[in-house]
Amino acid sequence: MKKGTLVLVVLLGILLIGGCMTCNLQKTLVSTDENVKSKWGEVQNQYQRRADLVPNLVNTVKGAANFEQKTLTDVINARAKATSIQVNPDNLTPEKLREFQSAQGELSQALGRLMVVSEQYPELKANQNFLALQDQLEGTENRITVARKNYNEAVQGYNVSVRTFPNNIVAGMLGFAPKGMFEADAGAQKAPQVQF
């Protein structure tokens, strides 16, 4: 075998092995990217479930005489803002996630104020519809927490795959970029003060 032919065969072998490794890596990246999108879909599903419960909760609370209108208005406005922000699963940047998370946080705070104020209304606390909605809302908040945790775990696996060598070279060429994760709200590390 001639020296030139041998070099050509070796080069073709290296190209073939490199091409196969690139194809396998691309399949892995697509699979992990789709897993992240699936987990993001579940996060959105749980937030939508909460947003769907809010009108029923507000209508039930409106039935209580003399209920504080500002609290209801705050909840309605926070829900409108939270549902207006859409994040494309293909563009899960940290900035977009912060914007989404901020709007959802405002809704959480408004709902928290609604629950605190509702304690002052005995007829509302005795209303079975209100109690059922309150339980559903609490369950939804737990589901949101689990969905966000699952999403963060999926993003962690994806980001590790995209950022490690030599994957980062191929991932960059194929357009795979690290994705953002959910983070704690500002000030969440401070324990709330309870005063009696």
Side-chain angles (χ1 to χ4, degrees):
M1 199 176 242
K2 294 183 182 179
K3 188 176 181 181
T5 307
L6 183 61
V7 169
L8 183 62
V9 168
V10 169
L11 285 175
L12 287 174
I14 290 172
L15 285 175
L16 181 64
I17 291 170
C20 289
M21 288 175 60
T22 301
C23 286
N24 284 338
L25 177 58
Q26 193 266 348
K27 287 178 186 177
T28 300
L29 290 173
V30 167
S31 175
T32 55
D33 184 48
E34 289 301 317
N35 185 40
V36 167
K37 289 176 184 176
S38 170
K39 300 299 183 188
W40 176 250
E42 185 56 26
V43 168
Q44 288 183 311
N45 180 38
Q46 294 308 324
Y47 276 121
Q48 184 62 51
R49 184 176 193 274
R50 177 175 71 174
D52 291 345
L53 286 172
V54 169
N56 295 332
L57 186 64
V58 168
N59 288 334
T60 301
V61 171
K62 277 183 183 177
N66 301 323
F67 197 83
E68 298 176 22
Q69 191 61 37
K70 182 186 179 323
T71 304
L72 291 175
T73 303
D74 289 347
V75 170
I76 292 167
N77 291 339
R79 178 190 180 270
K81 183 177 179 184
T83 56
S84 70
I85 295 177
Q86 299 295 318
V87 179
N88 183 342
D90 293 323
N91 190 20
L92 292 170
T93 62
E95 297 80 25
K96 294 278 187 188
L97 278 177
R98 273 193 289 276
E99 180 184 359
F100 180 82
Q101 190 172 351
S102 173
Q104 294 297 334
E106 287 177 28
L107 179 56
S108 293
Q109 290 174 359
L111 287 169
R113 286 190 301 275
L114 176 68
M115 294 305 163
V116 168
V117 171
S118 69
E119 291 294 318
Q120 300 170 6
Y121 294 86
E123 69 276 4
L124 183 59
K125 290 188 339 185
N127 183 317
Q128 292 301 313
N129 289 338
F130 178 77
L131 294 175
L133 287 168
Q134 191 176 12
D135 286 344
Q136 287 181 33
L137 200 55
E138 183 179 319
T140 298
E141 293 297 328
N142 291 335
R143 290 177 183 181
I144 288 171
T145 300
V146 170
R148 286 172 50 163
K149 175 188 160 292
N150 292 341
Y151 168 79
N152 278 349
E153 288 173 352
V155 169
Q156 179 185 13
Y158 171 82
N159 285 348
V160 165
S161 184
V162 166
R163 295 179 59 212
T164 55
F165 181 81
N167 296 1
N168 59 346
I169 296 169
V170 177
M173 291 187 311
L174 296 175
F176 292 95
K179 299 192 183 288
M181 298 178 86
F182 275 101
E183 298 171 2
D185 294 331
Q189 68 275 12
K190 294 180 185 176
Q193 293 183 342
V194 179
Q195 295 177 338
F196 295 100

